[in-house]
Amino acid sequence: MVVIPTASEMPEAAGQVYVRVFKKLKVTNVKVLNISSREESCLEDHLEVIKKAKGIMFTGGDQLRLTAIFGGTEIMRLIKYRYYKEGLVIAGTSAGAAAMSTQMIYQGPSDGFIKGAASFTAGLELLNDAAIDTHFIARGRIVRMVQMIATNPTFIGIGLEEDTGVVIKKGQELEVIGSGLVTIVDGRTSTYTNIYEIEEGAPVTMRDLRVHLLGKGDTYTLEIF
Amino acid sequence: MVVIPTASEMPEAAGQVYVRVFKKLKVTNVKVLNISSREESCLEDHLEVIKKAKGIMFTGGDQLRLTAIFGGTEIMRLIKYRYYKEGLVIAGTSAGAAAMSTQMIYQGPSDGFIKGAASFTAGLELLNDAAIDTHFIARGRIVRMVQMIATNPTFIGIGLEEDTGVVIKKGQELEVIGSGLVTIVDGRTSTYTNIYEIEEGAPVTMRDLRVHLLGKGDTYTLEIF
């Protein structure tokens, strides 16, 4: 198991937390890949670790660090190759989960329903036609999710709550794990948004979103577009 | 040839401009698909037009109208299917060009180098691993392009100037046409950006971008990630 703590500003500490967690789970061969810059990411030693990995875990922190540091690098190309062609298992928590999907929300306070108050970019593109956001209920993030969906309803929003996750198989079969809720926000059947008519600073509205709240064991198939 | 003027707030007029242009080019069978809402987009008549189309042209206007109205709809699914599986030719100008790529920049004034002053989302995903922006030199848009690339350098920036375009074959072989310049901004080999360290409102910096200025007849191969 390889732990990548790049999202964290304290990567040493973040890495060690997961070494201990995995040890408790009887996973003994745990390596921490402490990459904190684009240049470092290409070191031959790091590529070798990824080539041999059985699983990769991205820790929390800031998802923008993950895409800004890994985007377009040799190591990311290798991770994608191993994921798409060889079935490598990849996990992430908090920022590490948010960075998985093609749409990634990286900024947006509780007033994220104001046009321009939320920021999105492409994530690491390990999960397509979706956008993962975390601490979803606790931090009232449905509004920034809806702003993102308003810009392009192709992307199904997946909002994770604390102590809750999704296991995704074949890039589209989701199953909820953990003690809390997963919120699915589907804008594909929506009929209206004002986002292209309003100025920056005005509230974004949207009609006919389909929302599901799912718990442990519930499944959802992400329709690939 | 099917003209889609959805990006424009005056779609009737925008459509007719291109009907005349195509007539001058001896293209006589030109249909305008005047879709201005998500609900309208699904009408059986519209789907029939797309099923028979030899080419589609997206006019200018606001790219956010295109993604907000077409994203996740049945008609877009059909357009993608015909493009990826049947080699349908798709063209776009201004907003219509900007909406083609996976990364789409939809807002960002000339101070687009300030963190948070530029907005991105996913485009219609007809061109992958790239981001097209237009009026690139005239409107000083390299700075908003660089902010986008800083967030995730996977995406190669393609900046089109007036009266200038790119013909793209096999999703990656570019050739420049027209009288002006195309600016290619490649952040994949970049070594540093401050974007994940600064607050909103501070200037975004980046080192070691590779930039190409290309003219008529020049080619560039977009490396798919």
Side-chain angles (χ1 to χ4, degrees):
Chain A
M1 174 63 65
V2 177
V3 175
I4 300 184
T6 303
S8 174
E9 288 186 58
M10 293 177 294
E12 288 284 345
Q16 287 316 309
V17 166
Y18 287 94
V19 170
R20 283 195 296 274
V21 167
F22 282 116
K23 275 206 175 131
K24 270 194 192 163
L25 296 167
K26 315 281 184 212
V27 182
T28 46
N29 190 0
V30 183
K31 276 207 160 64
V32 178
L33 217 55
N34 198 343
I35 293 169
S36 60
S37 73
R38 296 179 64 78
E39 278 174 301
E40 256 179 84
S41 74
C42 307
L43 295 178
E44 197 53 48
D45 285 1
H46 293 337
L47 298 176
E48 280 305 312
V49 171
I50 298 296
K51 275 178 196 159
K52 291 176 190 151
K54 294 246 166 56
I56 295 177
M57 161 86 198
F58 288 95
T59 74
D62 177 358
Q63 51 264 48
L64 194 53
R65 288 178 62 91
L66 284 174
T67 54
I69 291 173
F70 282 101
T73 58
E74 211 43 48
I75 198 166
M76 196 58 219
R77 188 192 296 266
L78 180 62
I79 290 171
K80 276 186 170 171
Y81 182 87
R82 293 218 51 211
Y83 173 74
Y84 281 109
K85 303 286 183 184
E86 301 178 0
L88 177 69
V89 174
I90 301 184
T93 181
S94 193
M100 296 282 159
S101 46
T102 291
Q103 282 273 36
M104 180 183 91
I105 302 171
Y106 64 88
Q107 191 272 330
S110 51
D111 69 346
F113 59 93
I114 299 296
K115 185 174 177 182
S119 302
F120 341 112
T121 187
L124 301 176
E125 296 190 284
L126 298 167
L127 179 65
N128 297 297
D129 291 340
I132 297 173
D133 203 356
T134 61
H135 316 288
F136 197 69
I137 298 167
R139 300 189 191 170
R141 286 181 166 172
I142 192 166
V143 291
R144 75 186 205 178
M145 177 67 87
V146 170
Q147 177 161 183
M148 183 285 293
I149 290 173
T151 68
N152 188 338
T154 305
F155 298 89
I156 303 291
I158 303 171
L160 306 180
E161 197 38 22
E162 317 303 342
D163 191 39
T164 310
V166 282
V167 174
I168 301 172
K169 291 183 179 163
K170 298 177 187 167
Q172 61 181 136
E173 303 293 340
L174 276 65
E175 183 177 342
V176 177
I177 54 170
S179 63
L181 283 176
V182 171
T183 311
I184 305 280
V185 187
D186 175 357
R188 290 185 184 173
T189 57
S190 72
T191 53
Y192 175 73
T193 174
N194 67 354
I195 197 163
Y196 48 81
E197 296 168 343
I198 58 173
E199 300 292 316
E200 295 271 309
V204 176
T205 64
M206 198 164 188
R207 281 180 195 270
D208 299 307
L209 289 154
R210 247 172 105 188
V211 174
H212 314 283
L213 295 184
L214 307 180
K216 190 175 178 175
D218 285 344
T219 59
Y220 179 86
T221 300
L222 191 66
E223 209 185 343
I224 297 298
F225 213 70
Chain B
M1 174 64 65
V2 176
V3 175
I4 300 183
T6 302
S8 175
E9 287 187 60
M10 293 177 295
E12 287 286 342
Q16 287 315 310
V17 166
Y18 287 95
V19 171
R20 286 196 293 275
V21 167
F22 282 118
K23 277 208 173 126
K24 269 193 191 164
L25 295 167
K26 314 281 185 212
V27 183
T28 47
N29 190 0
V30 183
K31 277 210 161 62
V32 179
L33 218 52
N34 198 342
I35 293 169
S36 60
S37 73
R38 296 179 63 79
E39 278 172 297
E40 258 179 82
S41 75
C42 307
L43 295 178
E44 197 53 49
D45 285 2
H46 294 336
L47 297 176
E48 280 306 311
V49 170
I50 297 297
K51 277 179 192 158
K52 291 177 189 148
K54 294 245 166 55
I56 296 178
M57 161 87 196
F58 288 95
T59 74
D62 178 358
Q63 50 266 49
L64 193 54
R65 289 178 63 89
L66 285 173
T67 53
I69 292 173
F70 282 101
T73 59
E74 211 42 49
I75 198 166
M76 195 59 219
R77 187 193 297 264
L78 180 62
I79 291 171
K80 276 186 170 168
Y81 182 87
R82 293 217 53 212
Y83 173 75
Y84 281 109
K85 305 284 184 184
E86 300 177 0
L88 177 69
V89 174
I90 301 184
T93 181
S94 194
M100 295 284 161
S101 44
T102 292
Q103 281 273 37
M104 180 182 92
I105 302 171
Y106 65 89
Q107 191 273 330
S110 51
D111 68 346
F113 59 94
I114 300 296
K115 185 173 177 182
S119 301
F120 341 112
T121 187
L124 302 176
E125 296 189 285
L126 299 166
L127 180 64
N128 297 298
D129 291 340
I132 296 174
D133 204 358
T134 61
H135 317 288
F136 196 69
I137 298 167
R139 299 188 191 170
R141 286 181 165 173
I142 192 166
V143 292
R144 73 186 206 177
M145 178 67 89
V146 170
Q147 177 160 183
M148 183 286 295
I149 291 174
T151 66
N152 188 339
T154 305
F155 298 89
I156 303 291
I158 303 172
L160 307 179
E161 198 37 22
E162 317 300 343
D163 192 38
T164 309
V166 283
V167 175
I168 302 173
K169 290 181 180 163
K170 297 177 187 167
Q172 61 181 136
E173 303 291 341
L174 275 65
E175 181 175 344
V176 178
I177 55 171
S179 63
L181 283 177
V182 171
T183 311
I184 304 279
V185 187
D186 176 356
R188 290 185 185 175
T189 56
S190 71
T191 52
Y192 176 73
T193 174
N194 68 354
I195 197 162
Y196 49 81
E197 296 167 345
I198 59 175
E199 299 293 315
E200 295 272 308
V204 175
T205 64
M206 198 165 186
R207 283 179 194 269
D208 299 306
L209 288 154
R210 247 171 105 189
V211 174
H212 314 283
L213 295 183
L214 307 179
K216 191 175 175 172
D218 286 343
T219 59
Y220 178 85
T221 299
L222 190 66
E223 209 185 341
I224 298 297
F225 212 69

